[in-house]
Amino acid sequence: MSTPATHHARPAPPKRSGGAAALGWILTIGFNVVAPIITYNVLTKDHGWSEFSALLISSAWPVLESAISLAWRRKLDEFAVVTLVFLVITAVVSLVGAHSARALLIKDSGVTGLFGLLCLATLLAPRPLMFYFGRKFATDGTPESTAWWNGLWQYEGFRTTLTRMTLVWGLAYVAEAAVRVVLAYTLPTKTMVVLSPIMIYAVLGALGVWTAMYGKRSQAEGERRAAEAAAARTAATT
């Protein structure tokens, strides 16, 4: 049975601050993507650091962003926490086992596979992983837009959409990792060196397109049901 909240239209998002959104994305991309990559490459290629040590140092950047977010907005940025967890997983996987070309390819698969398992594990948490990813992309980080996004959790359709997205992402990455492990043992290493990154970006692109399309379709369906419920209430009162 639907709860009363599901019969009302979702509140419209507050007007986004372009400056706050731009600054938030600059910090997010800089601390979670650009800085870790540059740090890793400089330490491994120019200074001869091990992959594990370089990844460990690179993981300090998301920690720094979390500290800035905590001091600035008085709240912890879950997106930075997830990035940190992902870097830690990568560091642990790179440390374990042999360091042959095939082993490194399998370790890459282990990273994406563990990310998929992380997605599936959050289905048991109060809110799935895609709730936090969605909030990062759909809001500008201001208290008003964050409160709007958090408030959407009361709607059954919203909860179902994000739970289903998290499930699909988790299953897709677990399956992608399993396929790449099998291919790493069956195809020549030089073939997999080319194929492996293609598979990674192809799966990410496909999931991104599906997520956008499914999100729009779910939003349209929710608005349609809200309109029908409103029309039914109007007819009942007249």
Side-chain angles (χ1 to χ4, degrees):
M1 173 181 276
S2 300
T3 61
T6 60
H7 294 301
H8 295 83
R10 297 177 187 175
K15 185 178 180 180
R16 301 182 66 174
S17 169
L23 180 59
W25 275 111
I26 290 173
L27 289 175
T28 297
I29 296 174
F31 282 99
N32 291 279
V33 181
V34 178
I37 291 176
I38 292 176
T39 301
Y40 175 81
N41 288 334
V42 169
L43 292 178
T44 54
K45 295 179 180 180
D46 298 340
H47 298 281
W49 285 44
S50 66
E51 291 183 347
F52 175 77
S53 300
L55 283 169
L56 196 60
I57 296 300
S58 299
S59 65
W61 290 107
V63 175
L64 180 58
E65 193 211 3
S66 296
I68 293 175
S69 177
L70 188 61
W72 182 18
R73 293 174 177 160
R74 304 298 180 185
K75 72 179 185 66
L76 191 62
D77 188 341
E78 295 87 351
F79 188 87
V81 173
V82 171
T83 303
L84 175 61
V85 171
F86 190 77
L87 288 171
V88 171
I89 290 174
T90 305
V92 172
V93 170
S94 68
L95 183 65
V96 176
H99 294 279
S100 65
R102 177 172 280 117
L104 291 176
L105 289 170
I106 294 172
K107 288 176 183 180
D108 286 342
S109 304
V111 171
T112 55
L114 287 173
F115 177 74
L117 292 176
L118 176 63
C119 288
L120 297 177
T122 62
L123 295 174
L124 303 176
R127 298 181 183 183
L129 186 60
M130 287 302 145
F131 172 84
Y132 302 104
F133 273 40
R135 188 171 67 186
K136 190 68 177 180
F137 284 93
T139 72
D140 56 11
T142 58
E144 295 78 13
S145 62
T146 300
W148 162 75
W149 181 264
N150 293 342
L152 294 179
W153 188 251
Q154 67 180 296
Y155 299 101
E156 181 181 357
F158 183 78
R159 298 194 300 271
T160 300
T161 297
L162 292 179
T163 299
R164 192 166 295 166
M165 285 180 176
T166 305
L167 176 63
V168 170
W169 276 70
L171 293 176
Y173 270 113
V174 169
E176 180 264 356
V179 170
R180 281 203 292 142
V181 168
V182 172
L183 292 178
Y185 279 106
T186 56
L187 296 178
T189 300
K190 62 180 181 180
T191 302
M192 277 304 299
V193 168
V194 176
L195 184 59
S196 183
I198 293 176
M199 290 182 63
I200 293 175
Y201 289 111
V203 171
L204 178 61
L207 285 172
V209 171
W210 174 82
T211 299
M213 294 177 62
Y214 178 67
K216 290 181 180 180
R217 186 170 68 247
S218 298
Q219 181 180 3
E221 179 67 14
E223 292 173 351
R224 182 187 64 81
R225 291 182 178 180
E228 290 178 351
R233 288 196 303 271
T234 301
T237 56
T238 57

mmCIF file of all heavy atoms in Angstrom, residues 133-167:
data_model
loop_
_atom_site.group_PDB
_atom_site.id
_atom_site.type_symbol
_atom_site.label_atom_id
_atom_site.label_comp_id
_atom_site.label_asym_id
_atom_site.label_seq_id
_atom_site.Cartn_x
_atom_site.Cartn_y
_atom_site.Cartn_z
ATOM 1 N N PHE A 133 25.515 9.518 -4.658
ATOM 2 C CA PHE A 133 26.006 9.926 -5.967
ATOM 3 C C PHE A 133 25.016 10.879 -6.627
ATOM 4 O O PHE A 133 25.403 11.884 -7.226
ATOM 5 C CB PHE A 133 26.215 8.696 -6.856
ATOM 6 C CG PHE A 133 27.561 8.062 -6.689
ATOM 7 C CD1 PHE A 133 28.141 7.951 -5.438
ATOM 8 C CD2 PHE A 133 28.250 7.554 -7.775
ATOM 9 C CE1 PHE A 133 29.379 7.365 -5.257
ATOM 10 C CE2 PHE A 133 29.502 6.972 -7.621
ATOM 11 C CZ PHE A 133 30.071 6.872 -6.359
ATOM 12 N N GLY A 134 23.725 10.549 -6.530
ATOM 13 C CA GLY A 134 22.701 11.402 -7.121
ATOM 14 C C GLY A 134 22.673 12.771 -6.491
ATOM 15 O O GLY A 134 22.515 13.780 -7.187
ATOM 16 N N ARG A 135 22.847 12.839 -5.192
ATOM 17 C CA ARG A 135 22.837 14.134 -4.516
ATOM 18 C C ARG A 135 24.013 14.991 -4.960
ATOM 19 O O ARG A 135 23.901 16.215 -5.074
ATOM 20 C CB ARG A 135 22.874 13.930 -2.996
ATOM 21 C CG ARG A 135 22.680 15.219 -2.210
ATOM 22 C CD ARG A 135 22.507 14.943 -0.742
ATOM 23 N NE ARG A 135 23.724 14.415 -0.132
ATOM 24 C CZ ARG A 135 23.777 13.982 1.130
ATOM 25 N NH1 ARG A 135 22.688 13.990 1.881
ATOM 26 N NH2 ARG A 135 24.907 13.530 1.622
ATOM 27 N N LYS A 136 25.134 14.348 -5.242
ATOM 28 C CA LYS A 136 26.305 15.087 -5.687
ATOM 29 C C LYS A 136 26.061 15.709 -7.053
ATOM 30 O O LYS A 136 26.481 16.837 -7.335
ATOM 31 C CB LYS A 136 27.517 14.159 -5.742
ATOM 32 C CG LYS A 136 28.838 14.872 -5.952
ATOM 33 C CD LYS A 136 29.204 15.698 -4.730
ATOM 34 C CE LYS A 136 30.544 16.360 -4.872
ATOM 35 N NZ LYS A 136 30.906 17.161 -3.682
ATOM 36 N N PHE A 137 25.372 14.972 -7.936
ATOM 37 C CA PHE A 137 25.142 15.458 -9.295
ATOM 38 C C PHE A 137 23.917 16.365 -9.390
ATOM 39 O O PHE A 137 23.877 17.252 -10.244
ATOM 40 C CB PHE A 137 24.963 14.275 -10.256
ATOM 41 C CG PHE A 137 26.244 13.591 -10.609
ATOM 42 C CD1 PHE A 137 26.688 12.493 -9.901
ATOM 43 C CD2 PHE A 137 27.029 14.050 -11.654
ATOM 44 C CE1 PHE A 137 27.878 11.856 -10.210
ATOM 45 C CE2 PHE A 137 28.222 13.431 -11.984
ATOM 46 C CZ PHE A 137 28.646 12.329 -11.261
ATOM 47 N N ALA A 138 22.918 16.162 -8.538
ATOM 48 C CA ALA A 138 21.645 16.872 -8.680
ATOM 49 C C ALA A 138 21.567 18.152 -7.871
ATOM 50 O O ALA A 138 20.625 18.928 -8.057
ATOM 51 C CB ALA A 138 20.488 15.948 -8.289
ATOM 52 N N THR A 139 22.508 18.387 -6.969
ATOM 53 C CA THR A 139 22.456 19.582 -6.137
ATOM 54 C C THR A 139 23.757 20.375 -6.268
ATOM 55 O O THR A 139 24.745 19.877 -6.809
ATOM 56 C CB THR A 139 22.239 19.222 -4.651
ATOM 57 O OG1 THR A 139 23.448 18.638 -4.117
ATOM 58 C CG2 THR A 139 21.104 18.223 -4.495
ATOM 59 N N ASP A 140 23.720 21.597 -5.749
ATOM 60 C CA ASP A 140 24.936 22.423 -5.774
ATOM 61 C C ASP A 140 25.635 22.440 -4.425
ATOM 62 O O ASP A 140 26.554 23.219 -4.199
ATOM 63 C CB ASP A 140 24.608 23.850 -6.207
ATOM 64 C CG ASP A 140 23.553 24.499 -5.318
ATOM 65 O OD1 ASP A 140 23.237 23.919 -4.254
ATOM 66 O OD2 ASP A 140 23.058 25.577 -5.673
ATOM 67 N N GLY A 141 25.184 21.573 -3.515
ATOM 68 C CA GLY A 141 25.844 21.452 -2.223
ATOM 69 C C GLY A 141 25.383 22.438 -1.172
ATOM 70 O O GLY A 141 25.829 22.364 -0.026
ATOM 71 N N THR A 142 24.495 23.365 -1.529
ATOM 72 C CA THR A 142 23.987 24.322 -0.552
ATOM 73 C C THR A 142 23.017 23.621 0.392
ATOM 74 O O THR A 142 22.437 22.591 0.060
ATOM 75 C CB THR A 142 23.275 25.485 -1.248
ATOM 76 O OG1 THR A 142 22.198 24.962 -2.045
ATOM 77 C CG2 THR A 142 24.239 26.256 -2.145
ATOM 78 N N PRO A 143 22.822 24.156 1.605
ATOM 79 C CA PRO A 143 21.898 23.514 2.547
ATOM 80 C C PRO A 143 20.491 23.356 1.983
ATOM 81 O O PRO A 143 19.820 22.345 2.248
ATOM 82 C CB PRO A 143 21.918 24.475 3.749
ATOM 83 C CG PRO A 143 23.252 25.143 3.675
ATOM 84 C CD PRO A 143 23.532 25.300 2.212
ATOM 85 N N GLU A 144 20.025 24.356 1.186
ATOM 86 C CA GLU A 144 18.677 24.282 0.636
ATOM 87 C C GLU A 144 18.527 23.123 -0.350
ATOM 88 O O GLU A 144 17.575 22.348 -0.279
ATOM 89 C CB GLU A 144 18.308 25.594 -0.054
ATOM 90 C CG GLU A 144 18.212 26.800 0.872
ATOM 91 C CD GLU A 144 19.568 27.355 1.258
ATOM 92 O OE1 GLU A 144 20.576 26.957 0.609
ATOM 93 O OE2 GLU A 144 19.635 28.159 2.198
ATOM 94 N N SER A 145 19.479 23.000 -1.286
ATOM 95 C CA SER A 145 19.371 21.947 -2.285
ATOM 96 C C SER A 145 19.613 20.573 -1.664
ATOM 97 O O SER A 145 18.987 19.580 -2.052
ATOM 98 C CB SER A 145 20.366 22.189 -3.428
ATOM 99 O OG SER A 145 21.705 22.163 -2.958
ATOM 100 N N THR A 146 20.498 20.508 -0.668
ATOM 101 C CA THR A 146 20.742 19.235 0.022
ATOM 102 C C THR A 146 19.509 18.793 0.788
ATOM 103 O O THR A 146 19.141 17.610 0.771
ATOM 104 C CB THR A 146 21.941 19.372 0.975
ATOM 105 O OG1 THR A 146 23.112 19.734 0.232
ATOM 106 C CG2 THR A 146 22.206 18.068 1.702
ATOM 107 N N ALA A 147 18.856 19.732 1.464
ATOM 108 C CA ALA A 147 17.635 19.407 2.200
ATOM 109 C C ALA A 147 16.525 18.961 1.248
ATOM 110 O O ALA A 147 15.751 18.045 1.568
ATOM 111 C CB ALA A 147 17.184 20.617 3.016
ATOM 112 N N TRP A 148 16.440 19.610 0.082
ATOM 113 C CA TRP A 148 15.444 19.198 -0.919
ATOM 114 C C TRP A 148 15.685 17.752 -1.345
ATOM 115 O O TRP A 148 14.753 16.943 -1.377
ATOM 116 C CB TRP A 148 15.523 20.122 -2.131
ATOM 117 C CG TRP A 148 14.877 19.547 -3.360
ATOM 118 C CD1 TRP A 148 13.538 19.442 -3.620
ATOM 119 C CD2 TRP A 148 15.549 18.970 -4.491
ATOM 120 N NE1 TRP A 148 13.333 18.843 -4.834
ATOM 121 C CE2 TRP A 148 14.547 18.535 -5.398
ATOM 122 C CE3 TRP A 148 16.886 18.789 -4.822
ATOM 123 C CZ2 TRP A 148 14.856 17.929 -6.605
ATOM 124 C CZ3 TRP A 148 17.200 18.190 -6.040
ATOM 125 C CH2 TRP A 148 16.192 17.762 -6.903
ATOM 126 N N TRP A 149 16.941 17.413 -1.662
ATOM 127 C CA TRP A 149 17.251 16.053 -2.105
ATOM 128 C C TRP A 149 16.985 15.037 -0.992
ATOM 129 O O TRP A 149 16.374 13.990 -1.236
ATOM 130 C CB TRP A 149 18.708 15.975 -2.562
ATOM 131 C CG TRP A 149 19.119 14.614 -3.052
ATOM 132 C CD1 TRP A 149 19.750 13.637 -2.347
ATOM 133 C CD2 TRP A 149 18.898 14.070 -4.361
ATOM 134 N NE1 TRP A 149 19.951 12.531 -3.123
ATOM 135 C CE2 TRP A 149 19.444 12.767 -4.362
ATOM 136 C CE3 TRP A 149 18.317 14.573 -5.519
ATOM 137 C CZ2 TRP A 149 19.413 11.952 -5.487
ATOM 138 C CZ3 TRP A 149 18.285 13.765 -6.646
ATOM 139 C CH2 TRP A 149 18.818 12.475 -6.619
ATOM 140 N N ASN A 150 17.409 15.352 0.226
ATOM 141 C CA ASN A 150 17.171 14.442 1.345
ATOM 142 C C ASN A 150 15.682 14.228 1.581
ATOM 143 O O ASN A 150 15.247 13.131 1.936
ATOM 144 C CB ASN A 150 17.823 14.981 2.615
ATOM 145 C CG ASN A 150 19.344 14.978 2.538
ATOM 146 O OD1 ASN A 150 19.935 14.285 1.711
ATOM 147 N ND2 ASN A 150 19.987 15.760 3.391
ATOM 148 N N GLY A 151 14.892 15.282 1.368
ATOM 149 C CA GLY A 151 13.458 15.172 1.585
ATOM 150 C C GLY A 151 12.748 14.285 0.586
ATOM 151 O O GLY A 151 11.661 13.755 0.869
ATOM 152 N N LEU A 152 13.362 14.093 -0.581
ATOM 153 C CA LEU A 152 12.745 13.231 -1.592
ATOM 154 C C LEU A 152 12.716 11.772 -1.160
ATOM 155 O O LEU A 152 11.972 10.971 -1.742
ATOM 156 C CB LEU A 152 13.501 13.360 -2.925
ATOM 157 C CG LEU A 152 13.437 14.719 -3.630
ATOM 158 C CD1 LEU A 152 14.263 14.684 -4.907
ATOM 159 C CD2 LEU A 152 11.995 15.113 -3.938
ATOM 160 N N TRP A 153 13.510 11.408 -0.175
ATOM 161 C CA TRP A 153 13.582 10.011 0.255
ATOM 162 C C TRP A 153 12.249 9.515 0.812
ATOM 163 O O TRP A 153 11.994 8.308 0.870
ATOM 164 C CB TRP A 153 14.689 9.844 1.294
ATOM 165 C CG TRP A 153 14.958 8.420 1.653
ATOM 166 C CD1 TRP A 153 14.670 7.779 2.820
ATOM 167 C CD2 TRP A 153 15.579 7.431 0.811
ATOM 168 N NE1 TRP A 153 15.070 6.471 2.779
ATOM 169 C CE2 TRP A 153 15.632 6.236 1.561
ATOM 170 C CE3 TRP A 153 16.086 7.450 -0.484
ATOM 171 C CZ2 TRP A 153 16.181 5.059 1.035
ATOM 172 C CZ3 TRP A 153 16.635 6.286 -1.004
ATOM 173 C CH2 TRP A 153 16.680 5.115 -0.253
ATOM 174 N N GLN A 154 11.381 10.434 1.219
ATOM 175 C CA GLN A 154 10.078 10.020 1.764
ATOM 176 C C GLN A 154 9.176 9.421 0.692
ATOM 177 O O GLN A 154 8.209 8.725 1.015
ATOM 178 C CB GLN A 154 9.382 11.227 2.387
ATOM 179 C CG GLN A 154 8.981 12.296 1.365
ATOM 180 C CD GLN A 154 8.305 13.480 1.985
ATOM 181 O OE1 GLN A 154 7.218 13.358 2.557
ATOM 182 N NE2 GLN A 154 8.941 14.647 1.888
ATOM 183 N N TYR A 155 9.484 9.666 -0.588
ATOM 184 C CA TYR A 155 8.612 9.195 -1.661
ATOM 185 C C TYR A 155 9.021 7.793 -2.112
ATOM 186 O O TYR A 155 10.193 7.525 -2.402
ATOM 187 C CB TYR A 155 8.651 10.156 -2.846
ATOM 188 C CG TYR A 155 8.172 11.541 -2.478
ATOM 189 C CD1 TYR A 155 9.077 12.568 -2.230
ATOM 190 C CD2 TYR A 155 6.807 11.810 -2.342
ATOM 191 C CE1 TYR A 155 8.643 13.829 -1.872
ATOM 192 C CE2 TYR A 155 6.361 13.070 -1.987
ATOM 193 C CZ TYR A 155 7.285 14.074 -1.749
ATOM 194 O OH TYR A 155 6.842 15.315 -1.381
ATOM 195 N N GLU A 156 8.049 6.930 -2.162
ATOM 196 C CA GLU A 156 8.307 5.527 -2.474
ATOM 197 C C GLU A 156 8.962 5.363 -3.840
ATOM 198 O O GLU A 156 9.904 4.575 -4.015
ATOM 199 C CB GLU A 156 7.002 4.733 -2.423
ATOM 200 C CG GLU A 156 7.182 3.247 -2.715
ATOM 201 C CD GLU A 156 5.867 2.510 -2.685
ATOM 202 O OE1 GLU A 156 4.824 3.121 -2.388
ATOM 203 O OE2 GLU A 156 5.875 1.300 -2.971
ATOM 204 N N GLY A 157 8.482 6.105 -4.842
ATOM 205 C CA GLY A 157 9.050 5.993 -6.177
ATOM 206 C C GLY A 157 10.500 6.422 -6.228
ATOM 207 O O GLY A 157 11.318 5.817 -6.932
ATOM 208 N N PHE A 158 10.845 7.446 -5.476
ATOM 209 C CA PHE A 158 12.236 7.914 -5.404
ATOM 210 C C PHE A 158 13.127 6.847 -4.796
ATOM 211 O O PHE A 158 14.221 6.562 -5.305
ATOM 212 C CB PHE A 158 12.280 9.204 -4.579
ATOM 213 C CG PHE A 158 13.643 9.830 -4.482
ATOM 214 C CD1 PHE A 158 14.171 10.575 -5.528
ATOM 215 C CD2 PHE A 158 14.403 9.683 -3.330
ATOM 216 C CE1 PHE A 158 15.429 11.166 -5.434
ATOM 217 C CE2 PHE A 158 15.659 10.269 -3.235
ATOM 218 C CZ PHE A 158 16.169 11.006 -4.283
ATOM 219 N N ARG A 159 12.655 6.252 -3.701
ATOM 220 C CA ARG A 159 13.440 5.196 -3.050
ATOM 221 C C ARG A 159 13.623 4.001 -3.984
ATOM 222 O O ARG A 159 14.721 3.438 -4.090
ATOM 223 C CB ARG A 159 12.753 4.750 -1.756
ATOM 224 C CG ARG A 159 12.628 5.847 -0.709
ATOM 225 C CD ARG A 159 12.264 5.252 0.647
ATOM 226 N NE ARG A 159 10.992 4.530 0.612
ATOM 227 C CZ ARG A 159 9.810 5.090 0.846
ATOM 228 N NH1 ARG A 159 9.737 6.395 1.104
ATOM 229 N NH2 ARG A 159 8.710 4.375 0.815
ATOM 230 N N THR A 160 12.567 3.627 -4.667
ATOM 231 C CA THR A 160 12.647 2.483 -5.580
ATOM 232 C C THR A 160 13.625 2.752 -6.710
ATOM 233 O O THR A 160 14.422 1.883 -7.088
ATOM 234 C CB THR A 160 11.258 2.172 -6.161
ATOM 235 O OG1 THR A 160 10.356 1.861 -5.090
ATOM 236 C CG2 THR A 160 11.317 1.002 -7.126
ATOM 237 N N THR A 161 13.579 3.969 -7.266
ATOM 238 C CA THR A 161 14.464 4.309 -8.381
ATOM 239 C C THR A 161 15.925 4.212 -7.986
ATOM 240 O O THR A 161 16.736 3.586 -8.686
ATOM 241 C CB THR A 161 14.159 5.740 -8.874
ATOM 242 O OG1 THR A 161 12.824 5.795 -9.379
ATOM 243 C CG2 THR A 161 15.121 6.143 -9.979
ATOM 244 N N LEU A 162 16.301 4.801 -6.862
ATOM 245 C CA LEU A 162 17.708 4.802 -6.456
ATOM 246 C C LEU A 162 18.170 3.421 -6.003
ATOM 247 O O LEU A 162 19.319 3.035 -6.226
ATOM 248 C CB LEU A 162 17.934 5.821 -5.350
ATOM 249 C CG LEU A 162 17.779 7.278 -5.789
ATOM 250 C CD1 LEU A 162 18.007 8.222 -4.625
ATOM 251 C CD2 LEU A 162 18.770 7.606 -6.898
ATOM 252 N N THR A 163 17.279 2.670 -5.397
ATOM 253 C CA THR A 163 17.629 1.298 -5.013
ATOM 254 C C THR A 163 17.874 0.450 -6.243
ATOM 255 O O THR A 163 18.849 -0.326 -6.308
ATOM 256 C CB THR A 163 16.508 0.683 -4.163
ATOM 257 O OG1 THR A 163 16.329 1.463 -2.971
ATOM 258 C CG2 THR A 163 16.841 -0.749 -3.779
ATOM 259 N N ARG A 164 17.016 0.603 -7.250
ATOM 260 C CA ARG A 164 17.185 -0.170 -8.484
ATOM 261 C C ARG A 164 18.454 0.253 -9.230
ATOM 262 O O ARG A 164 19.165 -0.591 -9.781
ATOM 263 C CB ARG A 164 15.951 0.018 -9.367
ATOM 264 C CG ARG A 164 15.857 -0.948 -10.539
ATOM 265 C CD ARG A 164 14.465 -0.917 -11.126
ATOM 266 N NE ARG A 164 13.479 -1.402 -10.172
ATOM 267 C CZ ARG A 164 12.169 -1.232 -10.316
ATOM 268 N NH1 ARG A 164 11.697 -0.565 -11.359
ATOM 269 N NH2 ARG A 164 11.334 -1.722 -9.417
ATOM 270 N N MET A 165 18.738 1.543 -9.241
ATOM 271 C CA MET A 165 19.977 2.002 -9.876
ATOM 272 C C MET A 165 21.205 1.387 -9.208
ATOM 273 O O MET A 165 22.132 0.922 -9.871
ATOM 274 C CB MET A 165 20.069 3.534 -9.798
ATOM 275 C CG MET A 165 19.172 4.284 -10.752
ATOM 276 S SD MET A 165 19.389 6.071 -10.552
ATOM 277 C CE MET A 165 18.304 6.676 -11.860
ATOM 278 N N THR A 166 21.218 1.391 -7.882
ATOM 279 C CA THR A 166 22.341 0.823 -7.143
ATOM 280 C C THR A 166 22.486 -0.660 -7.431
ATOM 281 O O THR A 166 23.607 -1.167 -7.601
ATOM 282 C CB THR A 166 22.150 1.053 -5.634
ATOM 283 O OG1 THR A 166 21.968 2.450 -5.377
ATOM 284 C CG2 THR A 166 23.362 0.565 -4.858
ATOM 285 N N LEU A 167 21.364 -1.364 -7.506
ATOM 286 C CA LEU A 167 21.395 -2.795 -7.809
ATOM 287 C C LEU A 167 21.979 -3.056 -9.186
ATOM 288 O O LEU A 167 22.838 -3.939 -9.363
ATOM 289 C CB LEU A 167 19.973 -3.366 -7.720
ATOM 290 C CG LEU A 167 19.816 -4.841 -8.105
ATOM 291 C CD1 LEU A 167 20.602 -5.729 -7.157
ATOM 292 C CD2 LEU A 167 18.331 -5.232 -8.120
#
